[in-house]
Amino acid sequence: AMSDVDVDRQLMQLNETPERDRDPGVVGTLLRRLRELHVRRSDLVARHGGWVLRTHRGVLGDEVYNVAEQVFLAALDIHDMELAGECLSLVRRTFPGSTRVRRLEAMQYEAQGDWDRALEVYSDLLHTDETDVVSMKRWIAVLRAQGRVDEAVAKLCDYLKLFQADLAAWLELADMYLSEMDYARAAFCLEEALLHAPHNYLFHLKYAEVLFTLGGPENYRLARKYFAQSLDLKPKDNARALYGLFLTSSYGKGRRDKEEVPTEKILEWSRQQLVDLYRQKAPEKVEIVRRMTE
């Protein structure tokens, strides 16, 4: 099976191929593979997908509406409203008034900055089906795009009461709390994320950074453990965790908790790891790092 890199490379090659020499069947296959991989290369999808829909729609068979929706979203991303309108009209003619089409219409309103009409559509869809996850998330996205963060947070909390296993929602809520500098609540959200994905080094790293921001001896001690866990999960090229380990150990210099490694040893180890990493990746900055960590 083709990877996202292979698909991207072939789509880029199509840019160099005259339209008369392109194979629409190959383009359809590449677009399908992008959908399977959940990859959005909006510029390439809009260009080649739009070409197939306009000139060789018949080769797509039953996939024509999936391609139309894919190209519609790509067109919104690059703000090609003419192409988006063509795709929406194609889908609307076959499925007038369907939930999916109405949601696409609302997304078009979003792209046009018509927030009120978009919210009106999402409100109607949720009135019909309270468990419409996509519409609920779009509503929250609109609120956040308008800067109505408090309302977006409230809606997302309501959503998580129904769908507590949605990892992406916990991360989004953490990000919103961070944007409001509510670090304690952001930490709670990241704890939930860690429960869902305990082997993701980035979640350990982000949680440690929030604890470090909160400050205080207990938070520094706990942050140090999560920076160390992040390094355990990703030992190579993890400079952020090394800096975090160094800084948290600096605050705890001279202290030693029961059964823990002395902070001086952690300081020296993290300093040396940083120097070694920069020596490999950016040798011109080694001396800066060495002086900074003295």
Side-chain angles (χ1 to χ4, degrees), residues 23-58:
D23 185 342
V26 170
V27 175
T29 300
L30 294 174
L31 292 173
R32 183 192 316 119
R33 187 59 183 152
L34 284 176
R35 293 196 302 275
E36 292 170 351
L37 293 168
H38 303 289
V39 172
R40 287 173 76 162
R41 276 303 308 270
S42 300
D43 53 338
L44 297 176
V45 168
R47 178 173 182 177
H48 301 300
W51 171 74
V52 169
L53 286 173
R54 284 168 171 163
T55 61
H56 298 84
R57 190 181 303 167

PDB file of all heavy atoms in Angstrom, residues 23-58:
ATOM      1  N   ASP A  23      -3.913  10.446 -16.298  1.00  0.00           N
ATOM      2  CA  ASP A  23      -4.833   9.316 -16.217  1.00  0.00           C
ATOM      3  C   ASP A  23      -5.824   9.594 -15.092  1.00  0.00           C
ATOM      4  O   ASP A  23      -5.448   9.572 -13.917  1.00  0.00           O
ATOM      5  CB  ASP A  23      -4.058   8.029 -15.931  1.00  0.00           C
ATOM      6  CG  ASP A  23      -4.947   6.788 -15.947  1.00  0.00           C
ATOM      7  OD1 ASP A  23      -6.179   6.940 -15.832  1.00  0.00           O
ATOM      8  OD2 ASP A  23      -4.398   5.678 -16.044  1.00  0.00           O
ATOM      9  N   PRO A  24      -7.096   9.855 -15.404  1.00  0.00           N
ATOM     10  CA  PRO A  24      -8.064  10.160 -14.345  1.00  0.00           C
ATOM     11  C   PRO A  24      -8.257   9.016 -13.363  1.00  0.00           C
ATOM     12  O   PRO A  24      -8.563   9.239 -12.188  1.00  0.00           O
ATOM     13  CB  PRO A  24      -9.355  10.458 -15.114  1.00  0.00           C
ATOM     14  CG  PRO A  24      -9.167   9.847 -16.459  1.00  0.00           C
ATOM     15  CD  PRO A  24      -7.702   9.914 -16.743  1.00  0.00           C
ATOM     16  N   GLY A  25      -8.063   7.777 -13.831  1.00  0.00           N
ATOM     17  CA  GLY A  25      -8.175   6.633 -12.928  1.00  0.00           C
ATOM     18  C   GLY A  25      -7.103   6.661 -11.859  1.00  0.00           C
ATOM     19  O   GLY A  25      -7.360   6.336 -10.686  1.00  0.00           O
ATOM     20  N   VAL A  26      -5.893   7.061 -12.240  1.00  0.00           N
ATOM     21  CA  VAL A  26      -4.789   7.173 -11.274  1.00  0.00           C
ATOM     22  C   VAL A  26      -5.079   8.273 -10.268  1.00  0.00           C
ATOM     23  O   VAL A  26      -4.854   8.104  -9.060  1.00  0.00           O
ATOM     24  CB  VAL A  26      -3.457   7.455 -12.007  1.00  0.00           C
ATOM     25  CG1 VAL A  26      -2.365   7.806 -11.012  1.00  0.00           C
ATOM     26  CG2 VAL A  26      -3.055   6.249 -12.847  1.00  0.00           C
ATOM     27  N   VAL A  27      -5.613   9.392 -10.742  1.00  0.00           N
ATOM     28  CA  VAL A  27      -5.952  10.491  -9.832  1.00  0.00           C
ATOM     29  C   VAL A  27      -7.003  10.037  -8.829  1.00  0.00           C
ATOM     30  O   VAL A  27      -6.896  10.307  -7.635  1.00  0.00           O
ATOM     31  CB  VAL A  27      -6.464  11.714 -10.626  1.00  0.00           C
ATOM     32  CG1 VAL A  27      -6.931  12.807  -9.666  1.00  0.00           C
ATOM     33  CG2 VAL A  27      -5.367  12.247 -11.533  1.00  0.00           C
ATOM     34  N   GLY A  28      -8.028   9.301  -9.319  1.00  0.00           N
ATOM     35  CA  GLY A  28      -9.064   8.793  -8.413  1.00  0.00           C
ATOM     36  C   GLY A  28      -8.490   7.872  -7.362  1.00  0.00           C
ATOM     37  O   GLY A  28      -8.883   7.929  -6.181  1.00  0.00           O
ATOM     38  N   THR A  29      -7.542   7.026  -7.750  1.00  0.00           N
ATOM     39  CA  THR A  29      -6.902   6.106  -6.800  1.00  0.00           C
ATOM     40  C   THR A  29      -6.099   6.874  -5.748  1.00  0.00           C
ATOM     41  O   THR A  29      -6.137   6.540  -4.558  1.00  0.00           O
ATOM     42  CB  THR A  29      -5.973   5.130  -7.546  1.00  0.00           C
ATOM     43  OG1 THR A  29      -6.745   4.380  -8.486  1.00  0.00           O
ATOM     44  CG2 THR A  29      -5.292   4.178  -6.579  1.00  0.00           C
ATOM     45  N   LEU A  30      -5.384   7.895  -6.186  1.00  0.00           N
ATOM     46  CA  LEU A  30      -4.583   8.694  -5.257  1.00  0.00           C
ATOM     47  C   LEU A  30      -5.483   9.447  -4.274  1.00  0.00           C
ATOM     48  O   LEU A  30      -5.179   9.525  -3.081  1.00  0.00           O
ATOM     49  CB  LEU A  30      -3.710   9.682  -6.026  1.00  0.00           C
ATOM     50  CG  LEU A  30      -2.605   9.066  -6.902  1.00  0.00           C
ATOM     51  CD1 LEU A  30      -1.903  10.136  -7.712  1.00  0.00           C
ATOM     52  CD2 LEU A  30      -1.593   8.311  -6.028  1.00  0.00           C
ATOM     53  N   LEU A  31      -6.595   9.960  -4.757  1.00  0.00           N
ATOM     54  CA  LEU A  31      -7.521  10.662  -3.866  1.00  0.00           C
ATOM     55  C   LEU A  31      -8.119   9.704  -2.845  1.00  0.00           C
ATOM     56  O   LEU A  31      -8.278  10.055  -1.667  1.00  0.00           O
ATOM     57  CB  LEU A  31      -8.640  11.314  -4.687  1.00  0.00           C
ATOM     58  CG  LEU A  31      -8.224  12.481  -5.591  1.00  0.00           C
ATOM     59  CD1 LEU A  31      -9.392  12.911  -6.471  1.00  0.00           C
ATOM     60  CD2 LEU A  31      -7.727  13.658  -4.761  1.00  0.00           C
ATOM     61  N   ARG A  32      -8.445   8.484  -3.282  1.00  0.00           N
ATOM     62  CA  ARG A  32      -8.977   7.489  -2.353  1.00  0.00           C
ATOM     63  C   ARG A  32      -7.949   7.150  -1.280  1.00  0.00           C
ATOM     64  O   ARG A  32      -8.278   7.041  -0.099  1.00  0.00           O
ATOM     65  CB  ARG A  32      -9.367   6.220  -3.101  1.00  0.00           C
ATOM     66  CG  ARG A  32     -10.012   5.152  -2.181  1.00  0.00           C
ATOM     67  CD  ARG A  32     -10.141   3.788  -2.850  1.00  0.00           C
ATOM     68  NE  ARG A  32     -10.633   3.905  -4.208  1.00  0.00           N
ATOM     69  CZ  ARG A  32      -9.957   3.499  -5.298  1.00  0.00           C
ATOM     70  NH1 ARG A  32      -8.739   2.974  -5.163  1.00  0.00           N
ATOM     71  NH2 ARG A  32     -10.463   3.639  -6.500  1.00  0.00           N
ATOM     72  N   ARG A  33      -6.690   7.030  -1.701  1.00  0.00           N
ATOM     73  CA  ARG A  33      -5.646   6.690  -0.724  1.00  0.00           C
ATOM     74  C   ARG A  33      -5.455   7.808   0.287  1.00  0.00           C
ATOM     75  O   ARG A  33      -5.236   7.554   1.476  1.00  0.00           O
ATOM     76  CB  ARG A  33      -4.332   6.401  -1.458  1.00  0.00           C
ATOM     77  CG  ARG A  33      -3.222   5.871  -0.568  1.00  0.00           C
ATOM     78  CD  ARG A  33      -3.629   4.590   0.100  1.00  0.00           C
ATOM     79  NE  ARG A  33      -2.589   4.103   1.012  1.00  0.00           N
ATOM     80  CZ  ARG A  33      -2.819   3.371   2.086  1.00  0.00           C
ATOM     81  NH1 ARG A  33      -4.064   3.043   2.412  1.00  0.00           N
ATOM     82  NH2 ARG A  33      -1.833   2.967   2.844  1.00  0.00           N
ATOM     83  N   LEU A  34      -5.567   9.054  -0.139  1.00  0.00           N
ATOM     84  CA  LEU A  34      -5.480  10.184   0.795  1.00  0.00           C
ATOM     85  C   LEU A  34      -6.610  10.124   1.817  1.00  0.00           C
ATOM     86  O   LEU A  34      -6.409  10.412   3.004  1.00  0.00           O
ATOM     87  CB  LEU A  34      -5.533  11.508   0.040  1.00  0.00           C
ATOM     88  CG  LEU A  34      -4.260  11.934  -0.700  1.00  0.00           C
ATOM     89  CD1 LEU A  34      -4.522  13.220  -1.478  1.00  0.00           C
ATOM     90  CD2 LEU A  34      -3.099  12.130   0.260  1.00  0.00           C
ATOM     91  N   ARG A  35      -7.819   9.743   1.373  1.00  0.00           N
ATOM     92  CA  ARG A  35      -8.938   9.622   2.312  1.00  0.00           C
ATOM     93  C   ARG A  35      -8.683   8.510   3.310  1.00  0.00           C
ATOM     94  O   ARG A  35      -8.964   8.649   4.508  1.00  0.00           O
ATOM     95  CB  ARG A  35     -10.248   9.348   1.556  1.00  0.00           C
ATOM     96  CG  ARG A  35     -10.731  10.498   0.697  1.00  0.00           C
ATOM     97  CD  ARG A  35     -12.195  10.333   0.297  1.00  0.00           C
ATOM     98  NE  ARG A  35     -12.453   9.105  -0.434  1.00  0.00           N
ATOM     99  CZ  ARG A  35     -12.294   8.942  -1.754  1.00  0.00           C
ATOM    100  NH1 ARG A  35     -11.854   9.968  -2.482  1.00  0.00           N
ATOM    101  NH2 ARG A  35     -12.583   7.806  -2.344  1.00  0.00           N
ATOM    102  N   GLU A  36      -8.146   7.412   2.847  1.00  0.00           N
ATOM    103  CA  GLU A  36      -7.860   6.278   3.731  1.00  0.00           C
ATOM    104  C   GLU A  36      -6.802   6.623   4.767  1.00  0.00           C
ATOM    105  O   GLU A  36      -6.863   6.173   5.915  1.00  0.00           O
ATOM    106  CB  GLU A  36      -7.409   5.070   2.901  1.00  0.00           C
ATOM    107  CG  GLU A  36      -8.504   4.473   2.031  1.00  0.00           C
ATOM    108  CD  GLU A  36      -7.972   3.447   1.050  1.00  0.00           C
ATOM    109  OE1 GLU A  36      -6.719   3.314   0.927  1.00  0.00           O
ATOM    110  OE2 GLU A  36      -8.790   2.773   0.406  1.00  0.00           O
ATOM    111  N   LEU A  37      -5.831   7.445   4.357  1.00  0.00           N
ATOM    112  CA  LEU A  37      -4.738   7.837   5.256  1.00  0.00           C
ATOM    113  C   LEU A  37      -5.107   9.052   6.116  1.00  0.00           C
ATOM    114  O   LEU A  37      -4.332   9.446   6.984  1.00  0.00           O
ATOM    115  CB  LEU A  37      -3.484   8.160   4.447  1.00  0.00           C
ATOM    116  CG  LEU A  37      -2.828   6.991   3.708  1.00  0.00           C
ATOM    117  CD1 LEU A  37      -1.776   7.503   2.728  1.00  0.00           C
ATOM    118  CD2 LEU A  37      -2.195   6.015   4.702  1.00  0.00           C
ATOM    119  N   HIS A  38      -6.279   9.646   5.865  1.00  0.00           N
ATOM    120  CA  HIS A  38      -6.720  10.853   6.574  1.00  0.00           C
ATOM    121  C   HIS A  38      -5.700  11.984   6.413  1.00  0.00           C
ATOM    122  O   HIS A  38      -5.368  12.692   7.375  1.00  0.00           O
ATOM    123  CB  HIS A  38      -6.953  10.557   8.061  1.00  0.00           C
ATOM    124  CG  HIS A  38      -7.940   9.451   8.300  1.00  0.00           C
ATOM    125  ND1 HIS A  38      -9.295   9.598   8.068  1.00  0.00           N
ATOM    126  CD2 HIS A  38      -7.777   8.175   8.730  1.00  0.00           C
ATOM    127  CE1 HIS A  38      -9.915   8.476   8.349  1.00  0.00           C
ATOM    128  NE2 HIS A  38      -9.024   7.594   8.747  1.00  0.00           N
ATOM    129  N   VAL A  39      -5.202  12.117   5.181  1.00  0.00           N
ATOM    130  CA  VAL A  39      -4.223  13.161   4.870  1.00  0.00           C
ATOM    131  C   VAL A  39      -4.913  14.234   4.045  1.00  0.00           C
ATOM    132  O   VAL A  39      -5.636  13.935   3.101  1.00  0.00           O
ATOM    133  CB  VAL A  39      -3.028  12.582   4.081  1.00  0.00           C
ATOM    134  CG1 VAL A  39      -2.113  13.701   3.602  1.00  0.00           C
ATOM    135  CG2 VAL A  39      -2.262  11.593   4.939  1.00  0.00           C
ATOM    136  N   ARG A  40      -4.688  15.496   4.408  1.00  0.00           N
ATOM    137  CA  ARG A  40      -5.274  16.610   3.663  1.00  0.00           C
ATOM    138  C   ARG A  40      -4.164  17.410   2.996  1.00  0.00           C
ATOM    139  O   ARG A  40      -3.468  18.174   3.655  1.00  0.00           O
ATOM    140  CB  ARG A  40      -6.090  17.514   4.590  1.00  0.00           C
ATOM    141  CG  ARG A  40      -7.380  16.901   5.029  1.00  0.00           C
ATOM    142  CD  ARG A  40      -8.103  17.733   6.078  1.00  0.00           C
ATOM    143  NE  ARG A  40      -8.765  18.900   5.520  1.00  0.00           N
ATOM    144  CZ  ARG A  40      -9.718  19.569   6.157  1.00  0.00           C
ATOM    145  NH1 ARG A  40     -10.106  19.176   7.348  1.00  0.00           N
ATOM    146  NH2 ARG A  40     -10.271  20.623   5.606  1.00  0.00           N
ATOM    147  N   ARG A  41      -4.005  17.200   1.689  1.00  0.00           N
ATOM    148  CA  ARG A  41      -3.128  18.048   0.889  1.00  0.00           C
ATOM    149  C   ARG A  41      -4.038  18.911   0.023  1.00  0.00           C
ATOM    150  O   ARG A  41      -4.283  18.610  -1.143  1.00  0.00           O
ATOM    151  CB  ARG A  41      -2.181  17.204   0.046  1.00  0.00           C
ATOM    152  CG  ARG A  41      -0.952  16.746   0.765  1.00  0.00           C
ATOM    153  CD  ARG A  41      -0.133  17.899   1.338  1.00  0.00           C
ATOM    154  NE  ARG A  41       0.169  18.920   0.338  1.00  0.00           N
ATOM    155  CZ  ARG A  41       1.246  18.917  -0.423  1.00  0.00           C
ATOM    156  NH1 ARG A  41       2.132  17.953  -0.284  1.00  0.00           N
ATOM    157  NH2 ARG A  41       1.445  19.884  -1.294  1.00  0.00           N
ATOM    158  N   SER A  42      -4.585  19.948   0.639  1.00  0.00           N
ATOM    159  CA  SER A  42      -5.690  20.690   0.031  1.00  0.00           C
ATOM    160  C   SER A  42      -5.350  21.271  -1.330  1.00  0.00           C
ATOM    161  O   SER A  42      -6.188  21.276  -2.241  1.00  0.00           O
ATOM    162  CB  SER A  42      -6.140  21.796   0.983  1.00  0.00           C
ATOM    163  OG  SER A  42      -6.579  21.241   2.202  1.00  0.00           O
ATOM    164  N   ASP A  43      -4.135  21.789  -1.494  1.00  0.00           N
ATOM    165  CA  ASP A  43      -3.767  22.388  -2.774  1.00  0.00           C
ATOM    166  C   ASP A  43      -3.805  21.360  -3.903  1.00  0.00           C
ATOM    167  O   ASP A  43      -4.370  21.601  -4.978  1.00  0.00           O
ATOM    168  CB  ASP A  43      -2.394  23.045  -2.677  1.00  0.00           C
ATOM    169  CG  ASP A  43      -1.322  22.094  -2.142  1.00  0.00           C
ATOM    170  OD1 ASP A  43      -1.686  21.099  -1.474  1.00  0.00           O
ATOM    171  OD2 ASP A  43      -0.124  22.353  -2.379  1.00  0.00           O
ATOM    172  N   LEU A  44      -3.232  20.181  -3.639  1.00  0.00           N
ATOM    173  CA  LEU A  44      -3.175  19.141  -4.666  1.00  0.00           C
ATOM    174  C   LEU A  44      -4.537  18.491  -4.890  1.00  0.00           C
ATOM    175  O   LEU A  44      -4.910  18.193  -6.025  1.00  0.00           O
ATOM    176  CB  LEU A  44      -2.141  18.071  -4.264  1.00  0.00           C
ATOM    177  CG  LEU A  44      -0.696  18.560  -4.144  1.00  0.00           C
ATOM    178  CD1 LEU A  44       0.206  17.451  -3.642  1.00  0.00           C
ATOM    179  CD2 LEU A  44      -0.201  19.079  -5.489  1.00  0.00           C
ATOM    180  N   VAL A  45      -5.286  18.273  -3.803  1.00  0.00           N
ATOM    181  CA  VAL A  45      -6.613  17.661  -3.925  1.00  0.00           C
ATOM    182  C   VAL A  45      -7.542  18.566  -4.727  1.00  0.00           C
ATOM    183  O   VAL A  45      -8.284  18.112  -5.607  1.00  0.00           O
ATOM    184  CB  VAL A  45      -7.211  17.374  -2.534  1.00  0.00           C
ATOM    185  CG1 VAL A  45      -8.694  17.009  -2.634  1.00  0.00           C
ATOM    186  CG2 VAL A  45      -6.450  16.244  -1.844  1.00  0.00           C
ATOM    187  N   ALA A  46      -7.510  19.869  -4.422  1.00  0.00           N
ATOM    188  CA  ALA A  46      -8.375  20.798  -5.140  1.00  0.00           C
ATOM    189  C   ALA A  46      -8.010  20.849  -6.624  1.00  0.00           C
ATOM    190  O   ALA A  46      -8.894  20.855  -7.498  1.00  0.00           O
ATOM    191  CB  ALA A  46      -8.274  22.186  -4.520  1.00  0.00           C
ATOM    192  N   ARG A  47      -6.727  20.867  -6.908  1.00  0.00           N
ATOM    193  CA  ARG A  47      -6.300  20.987  -8.306  1.00  0.00           C
ATOM    194  C   ARG A  47      -6.656  19.743  -9.113  1.00  0.00           C
ATOM    195  O   ARG A  47      -7.316  19.831 -10.159  1.00  0.00           O
ATOM    196  CB  ARG A  47      -4.791  21.231  -8.364  1.00  0.00           C
ATOM    197  CG  ARG A  47      -4.248  21.328  -9.779  1.00  0.00           C
ATOM    198  CD  ARG A  47      -2.788  21.729  -9.795  1.00  0.00           C
ATOM    199  NE  ARG A  47      -2.299  21.855 -11.157  1.00  0.00           N
ATOM    200  CZ  ARG A  47      -1.064  22.258 -11.479  1.00  0.00           C
ATOM    201  NH1 ARG A  47      -0.224  22.603 -10.517  1.00  0.00           N
ATOM    202  NH2 ARG A  47      -0.688  22.331 -12.737  1.00  0.00           N
ATOM    203  N   HIS A  48      -6.225  18.576  -8.643  1.00  0.00           N
ATOM    204  CA  HIS A  48      -6.412  17.356  -9.418  1.00  0.00           C
ATOM    205  C   HIS A  48      -7.810  16.765  -9.231  1.00  0.00           C
ATOM    206  O   HIS A  48      -8.393  16.242 -10.188  1.00  0.00           O
ATOM    207  CB  HIS A  48      -5.338  16.339  -9.044  1.00  0.00           C
ATOM    208  CG  HIS A  48      -3.947  16.838  -9.278  1.00  0.00           C
ATOM    209  ND1 HIS A  48      -3.494  17.214 -10.516  1.00  0.00           N
ATOM    210  CD2 HIS A  48      -2.913  17.070  -8.423  1.00  0.00           C
ATOM    211  CE1 HIS A  48      -2.243  17.638 -10.435  1.00  0.00           C
ATOM    212  NE2 HIS A  48      -1.867  17.556  -9.166  1.00  0.00           N
ATOM    213  N   GLY A  49      -8.348  16.858  -8.018  1.00  0.00           N
ATOM    214  CA  GLY A  49      -9.702  16.379  -7.799  1.00  0.00           C
ATOM    215  C   GLY A  49     -10.715  17.218  -8.548  1.00  0.00           C
ATOM    216  O   GLY A  49     -11.686  16.699  -9.116  1.00  0.00           O
ATOM    217  N   GLY A  50     -10.506  18.542  -8.563  1.00  0.00           N
ATOM    218  CA  GLY A  50     -11.395  19.421  -9.319  1.00  0.00           C
ATOM    219  C   GLY A  50     -11.354  19.108 -10.811  1.00  0.00           C
ATOM    220  O   GLY A  50     -12.394  19.107 -11.492  1.00  0.00           O
ATOM    221  N   TRP A  51     -10.160  18.809 -11.311  1.00  0.00           N
ATOM    222  CA  TRP A  51     -10.010  18.448 -12.730  1.00  0.00           C
ATOM    223  C   TRP A  51     -10.785  17.180 -13.068  1.00  0.00           C
ATOM    224  O   TRP A  51     -11.513  17.121 -14.071  1.00  0.00           O
ATOM    225  CB  TRP A  51      -8.523  18.270 -13.042  1.00  0.00           C
ATOM    226  CG  TRP A  51      -8.260  17.697 -14.411  1.00  0.00           C
ATOM    227  CD1 TRP A  51      -8.377  18.339 -15.614  1.00  0.00           C
ATOM    228  CD2 TRP A  51      -7.857  16.358 -14.702  1.00  0.00           C
ATOM    229  NE1 TRP A  51      -8.062  17.482 -16.648  1.00  0.00           N
ATOM    230  CE2 TRP A  51      -7.738  16.259 -16.120  1.00  0.00           C
ATOM    231  CE3 TRP A  51      -7.571  15.239 -13.917  1.00  0.00           C
ATOM    232  CZ2 TRP A  51      -7.359  15.074 -16.748  1.00  0.00           C
ATOM    233  CZ3 TRP A  51      -7.185  14.063 -14.549  1.00  0.00           C
ATOM    234  CH2 TRP A  51      -7.077  13.977 -15.946  1.00  0.00           C
ATOM    235  N   VAL A  52     -10.676  16.149 -12.214  1.00  0.00           N
ATOM    236  CA  VAL A  52     -11.386  14.891 -12.460  1.00  0.00           C
ATOM    237  C   VAL A  52     -12.896  15.107 -12.429  1.00  0.00           C
ATOM    238  O   VAL A  52     -13.635  14.604 -13.284  1.00  0.00           O
ATOM    239  CB  VAL A  52     -10.976  13.823 -11.414  1.00  0.00           C
ATOM    240  CG1 VAL A  52     -11.891  12.612 -11.496  1.00  0.00           C
ATOM    241  CG2 VAL A  52      -9.546  13.380 -11.631  1.00  0.00           C
ATOM    242  N   LEU A  53     -13.371  15.860 -11.428  1.00  0.00           N
ATOM    243  CA  LEU A  53     -14.814  16.089 -11.310  1.00  0.00           C
ATOM    244  C   LEU A  53     -15.364  16.869 -12.497  1.00  0.00           C
ATOM    245  O   LEU A  53     -16.495  16.649 -12.935  1.00  0.00           O
ATOM    246  CB  LEU A  53     -15.121  16.845 -10.010  1.00  0.00           C
ATOM    247  CG  LEU A  53     -15.015  16.036  -8.715  1.00  0.00           C
ATOM    248  CD1 LEU A  53     -15.166  16.962  -7.506  1.00  0.00           C
ATOM    249  CD2 LEU A  53     -16.074  14.940  -8.655  1.00  0.00           C
ATOM    250  N   ARG A  54     -14.584  17.782 -13.029  1.00  0.00           N
ATOM    251  CA  ARG A  54     -15.070  18.629 -14.115  1.00  0.00           C
ATOM    252  C   ARG A  54     -14.999  17.939 -15.477  1.00  0.00           C
ATOM    253  O   ARG A  54     -15.824  18.208 -16.362  1.00  0.00           O
ATOM    254  CB  ARG A  54     -14.256  19.923 -14.158  1.00  0.00           C
ATOM    255  CG  ARG A  54     -14.628  20.921 -13.064  1.00  0.00           C
ATOM    256  CD  ARG A  54     -13.614  22.038 -12.955  1.00  0.00           C
ATOM    257  NE  ARG A  54     -14.060  23.109 -12.053  1.00  0.00           N
ATOM    258  CZ  ARG A  54     -13.249  24.030 -11.533  1.00  0.00           C
ATOM    259  NH1 ARG A  54     -11.955  24.014 -11.828  1.00  0.00           N
ATOM    260  NH2 ARG A  54     -13.738  24.958 -10.724  1.00  0.00           N
ATOM    261  N   THR A  55     -14.009  17.055 -15.651  1.00  0.00           N
ATOM    262  CA  THR A  55     -13.774  16.526 -17.004  1.00  0.00           C
ATOM    263  C   THR A  55     -13.911  15.009 -17.134  1.00  0.00           C
ATOM    264  O   THR A  55     -14.137  14.513 -18.236  1.00  0.00           O
ATOM    265  CB  THR A  55     -12.367  16.937 -17.488  1.00  0.00           C
ATOM    266  OG1 THR A  55     -11.383  16.394 -16.598  1.00  0.00           O
ATOM    267  CG2 THR A  55     -12.237  18.450 -17.536  1.00  0.00           C
ATOM    268  N   HIS A  56     -13.753  14.267 -16.038  1.00  0.00           N
ATOM    269  CA  HIS A  56     -13.784  12.797 -16.123  1.00  0.00           C
ATOM    270  C   HIS A  56     -14.577  12.198 -14.967  1.00  0.00           C
ATOM    271  O   HIS A  56     -14.170  11.210 -14.355  1.00  0.00           O
ATOM    272  CB  HIS A  56     -12.366  12.219 -16.119  1.00  0.00           C
ATOM    273  CG  HIS A  56     -11.522  12.658 -17.277  1.00  0.00           C
ATOM    274  ND1 HIS A  56     -10.839  13.849 -17.284  1.00  0.00           N
ATOM    275  CD2 HIS A  56     -11.277  12.067 -18.485  1.00  0.00           C
ATOM    276  CE1 HIS A  56     -10.174  13.970 -18.428  1.00  0.00           C
ATOM    277  NE2 HIS A  56     -10.436  12.908 -19.177  1.00  0.00           N
ATOM    278  N   ARG A  57     -15.706  12.807 -14.644  1.00  0.00           N
ATOM    279  CA  ARG A  57     -16.485  12.378 -13.483  1.00  0.00           C
ATOM    280  C   ARG A  57     -16.912  10.911 -13.575  1.00  0.00           C
ATOM    281  O   ARG A  57     -16.984  10.199 -12.574  1.00  0.00           O
ATOM    282  CB  ARG A  57     -17.713  13.273 -13.338  1.00  0.00           C
ATOM    283  CG  ARG A  57     -18.475  13.098 -12.039  1.00  0.00           C
ATOM    284  CD  ARG A  57     -19.684  14.026 -12.030  1.00  0.00           C
ATOM    285  NE  ARG A  57     -19.286  15.420 -12.212  1.00  0.00           N
ATOM    286  CZ  ARG A  57     -20.138  16.407 -12.491  1.00  0.00           C
ATOM    287  NH1 ARG A  57     -21.436  16.142 -12.645  1.00  0.00           N
ATOM    288  NH2 ARG A  57     -19.708  17.637 -12.622  1.00  0.00           N
ATOM    289  N   GLY A  58     -17.157  10.440 -14.789  1.00  0.00           N
ATOM    290  CA  GLY A  58     -17.662   9.075 -14.968  1.00  0.00           C
ATOM    291  C   GLY A  58     -16.715   7.992 -14.477  1.00  0.00           C
ATOM    292  O   GLY A  58     -17.169   6.919 -14.053  1.00  0.00           O
TER     293      GLY A  58
END
